[in-house]
């Protein structure tokens, strides 16, 4: 038997630090969209931390924020879960109590009108302008690895107000100068470049990794190092990307307050279903 | 009095409506509720050069890709969700023996809406900068005649044949969409409404009286349906919402076998070519395994 409760003075984990920083960035009344990613670190970054962050924001400063789990379950009762669901459209998620279920397309949200304020996505590669790839590694016609396809990435990066790109592994091969396939568009040519492509809305806001948070100089369209998590170093970051630039400095990712940690551990995720048992 | 026509047929009748080269839409979504009994029969019949036009595809496309039935797939996703990448689809693409035409997910839905509305294209204003445009030459740029805005015309799905798997239908082709459904089941309805040849396999063929009791849920009326086939456990190893869960053990066996082309061949020898038909397949999977998957819906 493990004791899941932990005193708020205990040192926060990287997952908790990321979750709190995500939570602080959400505004009251926003609608946040997360898919249902499965498997280890991918599930933690793609689904569990976003859900924990949105729930924490609801408990702190954003009571009117709407969570869209798997894109369709509105404000699910996450505290009733004993394990994270692993399927987007099976009976488990259907039977999870929530406020509204989107059971058809087109449904409750008008995605093209901008109903969704922010989303979370991931990919095998992110590049220096914030493009994200979910389609292939290597040449498109004869790929080294064929992945799943563009899925909802084109929509995430244009129709949503902003995007948090959640990268569960921080390795050089994931952070490249130019992605092998642009599934979701970043800032090629900056905001002006996006406008020339006909894109007047959305785009990547942060790229979140186990080592750091990147953001963008949107005017010129270049990725920046926003902050480094406790325990990682600048050289650690610079050795593990291939953006074709060197980051000179960055602040440390802000730490959670005692109140945030207490809410996260004892109210949002008391069973450790989202961020793991402690 | 003349009797009303029965549209009841067999899985072999279904496959006879899907000749080599058919542009085929297969119901279900990712790893959910695909008409797998028909998919397996397509392989037994040795179908070739099929194009699958889809939205979010999974093990049904992976099985057909591995068995060499496909020439092309038009979709936004081929994968097995919690079971990972689609191994046989992936192998075929990497070897260059299968063509994939990529769409974004919402557009892959909208293409079927375009077919339902009998439109020649669906307009889109958010594809700029993606490699969807680089590689998909079926999407064409145009200027909005009202606003002057640069847009893209996305071709409709326009399948020759749609095949879906439903919980219940009657012998005339009325198909019930359960009240407690989710997105995959509603996408099946959009698919069926946009095609003139619609094959429905159903867990159960119900009486005319049963249909009348569920009239508001008959979202595919009889005149839309070409052929109805009773296929209990017809989506196995996929789930059918409200009836049975996915057979995770079978999926795991499939994934393990598909690590190599030889292993996949042994899988289809055992589970597709071995059993003569769907009932023999169910006997092979076994009653103990099948009944362990039964789901109890709201009581």
């Amino acid at each position: 038997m493990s004791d899941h409760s932990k005193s708020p003075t205990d040192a926060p984990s990287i997952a908790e630090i990321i979750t709190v920083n995500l939570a602080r960035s959400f505004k009251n009344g926003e609608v946040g969209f997360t898919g249902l990613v499965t498997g280890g670190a991918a599930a933690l970054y793609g689904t569990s931390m976003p859900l924990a962050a949105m729930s924490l924001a609801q408990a702190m400063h954003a009571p009117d924020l709407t969570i869209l789990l798997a894109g369709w379950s509105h404000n699910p009762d996450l505290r009733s879960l004993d394990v994270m669901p692993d399927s987007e459209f099976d009976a488990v998620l259907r039977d999870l109590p929530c406020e509204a279920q989107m059971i058809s397309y087109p449904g409750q949200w008008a995605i093209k009108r901008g109903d969704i304020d922010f989303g979370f996505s991931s990919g095998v590669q992110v590049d220096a302008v914030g493009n994200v790839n979910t389609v292939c590694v290597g040449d498109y016609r004869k790929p080294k690895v064929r992945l799943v396809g563009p899925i909802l990435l084109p929509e995430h990066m244009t129709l949503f107000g902003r995007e948090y790109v959640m990268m569960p592994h921080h390795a050089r091969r994931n952070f490249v100068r130019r992605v092998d396939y642009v599934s979701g568009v970043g800032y090629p040519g900056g905001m002006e470049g996006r406008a020339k492509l006909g894109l007047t809305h959305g785009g990547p806001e942060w790229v979140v990794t186990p080592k750091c948070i990147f953001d963008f100089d949107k005017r010129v369209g270049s990725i920046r190092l926003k902050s480094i998590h406790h325990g990682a170093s600048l050289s650690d970051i610079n050795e593990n990307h291939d953006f074709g630039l060197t980051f000179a400095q960055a602040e440390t990712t802000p730490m959670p307050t005692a109140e945030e940690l207490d809410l996260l551990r004892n109210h949002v995720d008391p069973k450790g279903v989202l961020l793991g048992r402690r | 009095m003349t009797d009303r026509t029965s549209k009841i047929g067999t899985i072999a009748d279904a496959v006879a409506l899907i000749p080599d080269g058919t542009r085929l839409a297969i119901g279900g979504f990712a790893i959910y509720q695909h008409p797998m009994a028909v998919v397996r029969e397509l392989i037994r019949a040795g179908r070739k050069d099929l194009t699958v036009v889809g939205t979010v595809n999974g093990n049904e496309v992976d099985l057909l890709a591995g068995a060499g039935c496909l020439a092309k797939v038009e979709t936004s996703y081929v994968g097995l969700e919690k079971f990972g990448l689609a191994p046989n689809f992936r192998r075929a693409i990497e070897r260059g023996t299968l063509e994939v035409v990529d769409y974004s997910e919402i557009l892959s839905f909208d293409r079927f809406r375009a077919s339902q509305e009998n439109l020649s294209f669906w307009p889109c204003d958010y594809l700029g900068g993606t490699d969807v445009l680089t590689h998909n030459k079926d999407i064409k740029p145009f200027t909005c005649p009202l606003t002057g805005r640069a847009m893209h015309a996305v071709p409709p799905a326009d399948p020759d044949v749609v095949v879906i798997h439903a919980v219940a239908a009657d012998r005339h082709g009325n198909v019930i969409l359960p009240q407690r459904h989710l997105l995959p089941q509603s996408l099946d309805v959009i698919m069926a409404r946009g095609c003139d040849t619609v094959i429905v396999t159903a867990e159960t063929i119900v009486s005319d009286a049963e249909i009348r009791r569920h009239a508001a849920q008959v979202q595919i009326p009889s005149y839309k349906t070409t052929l109805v086939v009773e296929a209990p456990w017809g989506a196995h190893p996929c789930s059918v919402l409200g009836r049975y869960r996915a057979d995770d053990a079978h999926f795991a066996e499939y994934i393990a076998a598909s690590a190599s082309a030889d292993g996949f061949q042994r899988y289809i020898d055992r589970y597709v070519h071995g059993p003569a038909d769907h009932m023999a397949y169910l006997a092979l999977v076994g009653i103990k395994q099948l009944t362990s998957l039964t789901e109890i819906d709201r009581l």
Side-chain angles (χ1 to χ4, degrees), chain B:
Chain B
M1 283 285 285
T2 310
D3 279 347
R4 201 170 163 186
T5 305
S6 166
K7 292 180 177 172
I8 298 283
T10 64
I11 290 171
D13 294 335
V15 165
L17 290 170
I18 309 169
D20 289 355
T22 297
R23 187 172 170 79
L24 178 66
I26 304 174
F29 188 99
I31 54 172
Y32 311 102
Q33 208 159 327
H34 296 300
M36 295 304 295
V38 171
V39 168
R40 284 184 287 266
E41 188 65 22
L42 286 168
I43 297 170
R44 283 186 204 107
R47 286 292 179 273
K48 297 278 176 218
D49 298 325
L50 302 174
T51 289
V52 171
V53 53
T55 57
V56 172
N57 295 94
N59 58 306
E60 87 294 19
V61 158
D62 194 66
L63 194 61
L64 291 168
C69 301
L70 303 181
K72 187 160 80 166
V73 182
E74 302 177 10
T75 188
S76 75
Y77 171 100
V78 181
L80 304 180
E81 281 202 349
K82 65 179 173 180
F83 300 107
L85 297 176
N88 298 291
F89 167 79
R90 182 185 159 185
R91 193 154 37 231
I93 297 291
E94 290 166 13
R95 287 180 178 174
T97 58
L98 175 62
E99 183 188 356
V100 61
V101 183
D102 292 305
Y103 287 87
S104 73
E105 187 172 345
I106 293 289
L107 284 177
S108 76
F109 303 166
D110 289 337
R111 298 183 72 205
F112 285 95
R113 293 169 79 198
S115 291
Q116 186 180 343
E117 300 294 337
N118 207 21
L119 293 170
S120 58
F121 69 90
W122 188 273
C124 176
D125 66 359
Y126 59 83
L127 285 177
T130 66
D131 280 326
V132 172
L133 291 182
T134 310
H135 299 292
N136 182 337
K137 299 302 178 192
D138 298 335
I139 299 173
K140 308 283 188 193
F142 76 102
T143 304
C144 170
L146 300 183
T147 64
R149 181 151 197 209
M151 300 190 77
H152 287 94
V154 179
D158 284 356
D160 300 325
V161 178
V162 167
V163 54
I164 65 170
H165 185 69
V167 166
D170 73 6
R171 64 200 167 101
H172 314 296
N174 291 303
V175 183
I176 291 174
L177 177 72
Q179 204 157 14
R180 274 160 57 78
H181 66 269
L182 294 174
L183 182 68
Q185 291 75 27
S186 92
L187 290 173
D188 283 357
V189 172
I190 295 179
M191 268 187 183
R193 288 177 179 167
C195 186
D196 296 333
T197 303
V198 176
I199 300 166
V200 179
T201 62
E203 287 295 313
T204 318
I205 304 300
V206 297
S207 67
D208 297 9
E210 188 73 10
I211 283 291
R212 287 171 192 279
R213 274 197 292 276
H214 295 88
Q217 283 134 261
V218 175
Q219 292 296 317
I220 303 171
S222 63
Y223 54 86
K224 297 294 292 183
T225 307
T226 309
L227 182 75
V228 182
V229 182
E230 188 167 52
W233 301 93
H236 183 272
C238 303
S239 58
V240 169
L241 197 68
R243 289 297 174 273
Y244 46 89
R245 292 183 295 275
D247 188 340
D248 285 1
H250 192 98
F251 266 103
E253 184 180 345
Y254 178 80
I255 302 292
S258 300
S260 70
D262 287 348
F264 175 75
Q265 188 60 47
R266 284 192 293 278
Y267 173 90
I268 58 169
D269 285 348
R270 175 165 166 77
Y271 286 107
V272 180
H273 297 301
D277 58 20
H278 180 56
M279 284 302 162
Y281 169 83
L282 295 182
L284 176 65
V285 174
I287 194 161
K288 186 177 171 194
Q289 181 64 9
L290 291 173
T291 52
S292 75
L293 306 172
T294 303
E295 183 185 311
I296 295 179
D297 207 341
R298 181 173 291 167
L299 297 175

Side-chain angles (χ1 to χ4, degrees), chain A residues 20 28-29 45 59 63 72 103 116 121 134 174 218-219 230-231 275-276:
Chain A
V20 164
N28 193 28
Y45 277 73
W72 67 265
I103 62 172
I116 297 166
S121 56
T134 57
N174 304 121
K218 296 180 186 177
R219 195 182 57 77
H230 175 73
L275 300 186

